[in-house]
Amino acid sequence: MPKVSEFQRFLYDNCQLFNNFMVILGKAQKMDQKSRCENCIVRQFNSLRAMTKEELKRVSDSKLMKTVKKGEALFEEGDKLNGVYCVRNGVSKLSKLSANGKDQIVKLATKGEVMGQRSVIVEETANLSAVAVNDMEVCFIPKEAIVNTLHSNPDFTYEVLRHMAHHLKEADDVIVNMSQKTVKQRIAEAFLYLKHNYGEDKDGYLLLTLSREDIANVVGTATESCIRIISEFKKKGLLKSSGKKLGIVDEKGLQDLADGF
Amino acid sequence: MPKVSEFQRFLYDNCQLFNNFMVILGKAQKMDQKSRCENCIVRQFNSLRAMTKEELKRVSDSKLMKTVKKGEALFEEGDKLNGVYCVRNGVSKLSKLSANGKDQIVKLATKGEVMGQRSVIVEETANLSAVAVNDMEVCFIPKEAIVNTLHSNPDFTYEVLRHMAHHLKEADDVIVNMSQKTVKQRIAEAFLYLKHNYGEDKDGYLLLTLSREDIANVVGTATESCIRIISEFKKKGLLKSSGKKLGIVDEKGLQDLADGF
DNA sequence: CGTAAAAGCTGACATATATCATTGTTTGCC
DNA sequence: GGCAAACAATGATATATGTCAGCTTTTACG
């Protein structure tokens, strides 16, 4: 029934009542045992693990799974979020448009991470946009399920707090890096980050491939500068490439560079 | 009794048991009614306002007041914090030393703000150093009082979470500004920030006076560049100065500049 | 398969910013 | 009041990075 999916799309793009409709449309999906939160391994990595069986059951009943294609947005800066997104698969970039028209990528969110928490907790519109870097599978969890649990289960609240505290530390560190390191250092760091967080294949190529533009937006530089520096790293034997894929050849060299020799 | 204060200093600098001793030494102070948390207006601005009367009483019994002179550190990056600091008066800079030897000021903390929360919550050493920008009055609250309440009072935990979420948003915005705005824009923004958050006197001079070096460390630039741009702003009639004091003359002009014309 | 669009690359050049060196000015303090 | 130390100011110069423009390669897709 292709009509239904177009209707979903329409609602998603335009309609305040999106969530209510989606819940109805999603009923069929929810019967799938494999998609129950209680059995979802991803939950172990985020604050949902502090929920009780009953709470999880309620979340699972109200959540709905969604696939997002590479390049599609989960939400945009300024959107009112009616819930959070739990990443089952794929990677999303969380970015913000600056006055000069460039996107700054503030964070990458992977399997297990929950997006939109902050906005739901403080009841503000989204501060960042979330766009899929590759094909994704996410679960949308309506905010009521989250907010209710926040008020009734202190363990869950504490767990969310711990995660938020961790993100805050990371953000502080990014601030320092952004303002005190050169573009070259930040690019070197970005590759080390990609290797350590997303790993590499048997041939030593990074599993997560970002475009030069995305890398530039992560480190906050012009795309051309980013390309130039990557070329330089390849010439120096720090990186290698094969098609779109990039791989780290000399990790120690990159690390030294990132640390300022 | 000058001996006691030297002893306090010694403990503060060197001793793991610092807190225990200080509690004993602080008994006399605690009797002062004016210093009871229950009556402290500062509390209204931070998460302590979500504490119950009993919890506050316990905090008040275990807390100790402390004065910190301009330039002194409350704690340093890497310190193990045995509690949090609630600012009653004065301003502290929270900064981190980068590899190139420069301090990046990540945040300024004022009256009502609680410092060190994050480290206490996640049980990590401090990620930032806190140094007094001017003379301060702070209350040290041992971590037990905080952690116990976090586990027993969900309202308090939620309130802390809301504050943390707010800080995270601010941090994300700083990341975007740092990477996408020019030094000139960031300095203009810094002055607007100082005016809006700390106000100005009748003559239009900012109430919080930061050294050029501190301003440079806030916006992440070299001190000389900062001085040059401030001079330029003065020539252009955007700022004025009198002794150490700086004042905003043309707020709209500064705002336009910060927004990129 | 072929074409258009997107992504990647490179050069030339402009500019913002850092760095180093020197001098002037304020401040705290004996 | 005077002196040292910190702070502020300014010039000269080097460097990193952004911008614009043109070109090549890869990818998407009808």
Side-chain angles (χ1 to χ4, degrees):
Chain A
M1 23 176 224
K3 285 287 153 53
V4 171
S5 111
E6 275 174 49
F7 183 47
Q8 287 189 349
R9 178 84 211 150
F10 169 76
L11 290 171
Y12 179 74
D13 287 332
N14 305 304
C15 186
Q16 287 283 17
L17 297 173
F18 157 67
N19 181 27
N20 306 341
F21 283 97
M22 287 303 266
V23 168
I24 297 164
L25 290 167
K27 288 286 184 207
Q29 292 177 354
K30 288 185 319 197
M31 297 300 108
D32 181 356
Q33 273 307 317
K34 270 172 58 191
S35 73
R36 297 291 304 174
C37 296
E38 297 92 314
N39 309 323
C40 181
I41 195 154
V42 148
R43 179 173 54 89
Q44 293 307 321
F45 303 119
N46 64 41
S47 26
L48 295 190
R49 70 175 177 183
M51 281 193 172
T52 65
K53 283 226 165 61
E54 289 70 34
E55 286 160 350
L56 260 185
K57 200 166 166 317
R58 243 172 300 152
V59 164
S60 206
D61 287 341
S62 65
K63 82 153 199 300
L64 55 102
M65 282 178 59
K66 197 166 154 31
T67 62
V68 187
K69 290 241 185 68
K70 176 177 173 173
E72 282 180 10
L74 278 125
F75 53 84
E76 306 263 6
E77 195 179 336
D79 283 358
K80 189 172 169 302
L81 299 189
N82 296 309
V84 301
Y85 295 86
C86 178
V87 181
R88 279 170 67 98
N89 248 312
V91 177
S92 170
K93 53 183 177 186
L94 289 156
S95 68
K96 181 159 181 164
L97 207 61
S98 71
N100 67 43
K102 270 210 215 142
D103 249 1
Q104 173 65 36
I105 297 178
V106 169
K107 187 173 166 27
L108 294 174
T110 336
K111 180 188 282 198
E113 294 199 66
V114 178
M115 297 189 291
Q117 275 190 86
R118 209 202 57 79
S119 307
V120 164
I121 289 166
V122 296
E123 292 162 303
E124 286 172 0
T125 58
N127 190 38
L128 305 170
S129 300
V131 173
V133 168
N134 44 33
D135 291 352
M136 300 181 74
E137 240 179 296
V138 302
C139 288
F140 174 83
I141 305 174
K143 69 168 174 224
E144 293 75 28
I146 301 292
V147 173
N148 289 343
T149 312
L150 279 175
H151 281 112
S152 59
N153 179 349
D155 287 347
F156 176 66
T157 314
Y158 192 51
E159 193 62 26
V160 175
L161 180 56
R162 290 172 58 90
H163 279 266
M164 189 91 54
H166 182 244
H167 289 148
L168 182 57
K169 179 191 155 133
E170 284 184 336
D172 284 347
D173 290 345
V174 170
I175 292 173
V176 177
N177 281 336
M178 282 295 182
S179 42
Q180 303 286 0
K181 295 201 171 176
T182 65
V183 172
K184 215 170 280 187
Q185 288 178 301
R186 280 178 277 157
I187 291 182
E189 228 167 38
F191 279 105
L192 295 170
Y193 173 87
L194 290 176
K195 170 165 176 180
H196 295 143
N197 286 274
Y198 300 95
E200 51 187 20
D201 63 19
K202 350 42 276 220
D203 303 323
Y205 291 101
L206 294 170
L207 287 178
L208 179 62
T209 300
L210 294 179
S211 69
R212 313 291 150 117
E213 189 181 359
D214 278 343
I215 298 174
N217 289 344
V218 166
V219 303
T221 190
T223 308
E224 297 94 323
S225 302
C226 182
I227 288 173
R228 248 184 268 275
I229 290 171
I230 290 177
S231 301
E232 187 191 322
F233 284 0
K234 283 196 285 190
K235 280 194 198 110
K236 285 192 184 162
L238 298 166
L239 296 178
K240 62 183 174 182
S241 67
S242 158
K244 265 188 101 77
K245 286 192 158 306
L246 283 166
I248 292 179
V249 177
D250 180 1
E251 178 163 354
K252 174 146 189 336
L254 275 182
Q255 187 66 62
D256 288 349
L257 217 157
D259 297 339
F261 311 125
Chain B
M1 27 178 220
K3 285 286 155 52
V4 171
S5 111
E6 276 175 46
F7 183 47
Q8 286 189 349
R9 179 83 212 150
F10 168 75
L11 289 171
Y12 179 75
D13 286 332
N14 306 302
C15 187
Q16 287 281 19
L17 296 173
F18 156 68
N19 182 27
N20 305 341
F21 282 97
M22 287 303 265
V23 168
I24 297 166
L25 291 167
K27 286 287 182 205
Q29 292 178 352
K30 287 186 318 195
M31 296 299 108
D32 178 358
Q33 272 306 316
K34 272 172 53 191
S35 74
R36 297 292 303 176
C37 296
E38 296 92 316
N39 309 322
C40 181
I41 196 153
V42 148
R43 179 174 55 89
Q44 291 308 321
F45 304 119
N46 64 41
S47 28
L48 294 191
R49 68 174 179 184
M51 281 195 172
T52 64
K53 284 225 165 60
E54 289 70 35
E55 285 160 350
L56 260 185
K57 200 166 167 314
R58 240 171 302 152
V59 165
S60 207
D61 286 341
S62 65
K63 81 151 200 301
L64 57 104
M65 284 179 58
K66 195 165 152 38
T67 63
V68 187
K69 290 241 186 66
K70 178 178 174 173
E72 282 179 11
L74 277 125
F75 53 82
E76 307 263 6
E77 196 180 334
D79 282 358
K80 190 172 167 303
L81 299 189
N82 295 309
V84 301
Y85 295 86
C86 178
V87 181
R88 280 170 67 98
N89 249 311
V91 177
S92 169
K93 56 184 175 185
L94 289 156
S95 66
K96 181 158 180 165
L97 207 62
S98 71
N100 68 43
K102 271 211 213 139
D103 249 1
Q104 174 65 35
I105 297 178
V106 169
K107 187 174 168 24
L108 294 174
T110 335
K111 180 190 282 198
E113 294 199 68
V114 178
M115 298 189 292
Q117 276 189 84
R118 208 201 58 78
S119 307
V120 164
I121 289 165
V122 296
E123 291 163 303
E124 285 174 1
T125 58
N127 189 39
L128 305 171
S129 300
V131 173
V133 168
N134 45 32
D135 290 352
M136 301 182 75
E137 241 179 294
V138 300
C139 288
F140 175 84
I141 304 174
K143 70 167 177 229
E144 293 74 27
I146 300 292
V147 173
N148 289 343
T149 311
L150 279 176
H151 280 111
S152 59
N153 179 349
D155 288 347
F156 176 67
T157 313
Y158 193 49
E159 193 61 28
V160 175
L161 180 56
R162 290 173 58 90
H163 279 266
M164 189 90 56
H166 182 245
H167 288 149
L168 182 56
K169 178 191 155 130
E170 284 183 338
D172 284 346
D173 290 346
V174 170
I175 291 173
V176 176
N177 282 336
M178 281 296 182
S179 42
Q180 303 286 1
K181 295 201 170 176
T182 65
V183 171
K184 215 170 280 186
Q185 290 178 300
R186 280 178 276 158
I187 291 181
E189 228 167 38
F191 279 104
L192 295 169
Y193 173 87
L194 289 176
K195 170 166 177 180
H196 296 143
N197 286 275
Y198 299 96
E200 49 188 23
D201 63 19
K202 341 61 262 226
D203 303 324
Y205 290 101
L206 294 170
L207 287 177
L208 180 62
T209 301
L210 293 178
S211 69
R212 315 291 150 119
E213 189 182 359
D214 277 343
I215 298 174
N217 289 345
V218 166
V219 302
T221 190
T223 308
E224 297 94 323
S225 303
C226 182
I227 288 173
R228 249 184 267 275
I229 289 170
I230 290 176
S231 302
E232 187 191 324
F233 284 0
K234 284 197 284 189
K235 279 191 198 113
K236 286 192 183 160
L238 298 167
L239 296 179
K240 64 182 174 183
S241 67
S242 160
K244 265 187 100 79
K245 285 189 157 309
L246 282 166
I248 292 178
V249 177
D250 180 2
E251 177 161 354
K252 172 144 191 339
L254 274 182
Q255 187 65 62
D256 288 349
L257 217 156
D259 295 340
F261 310 126

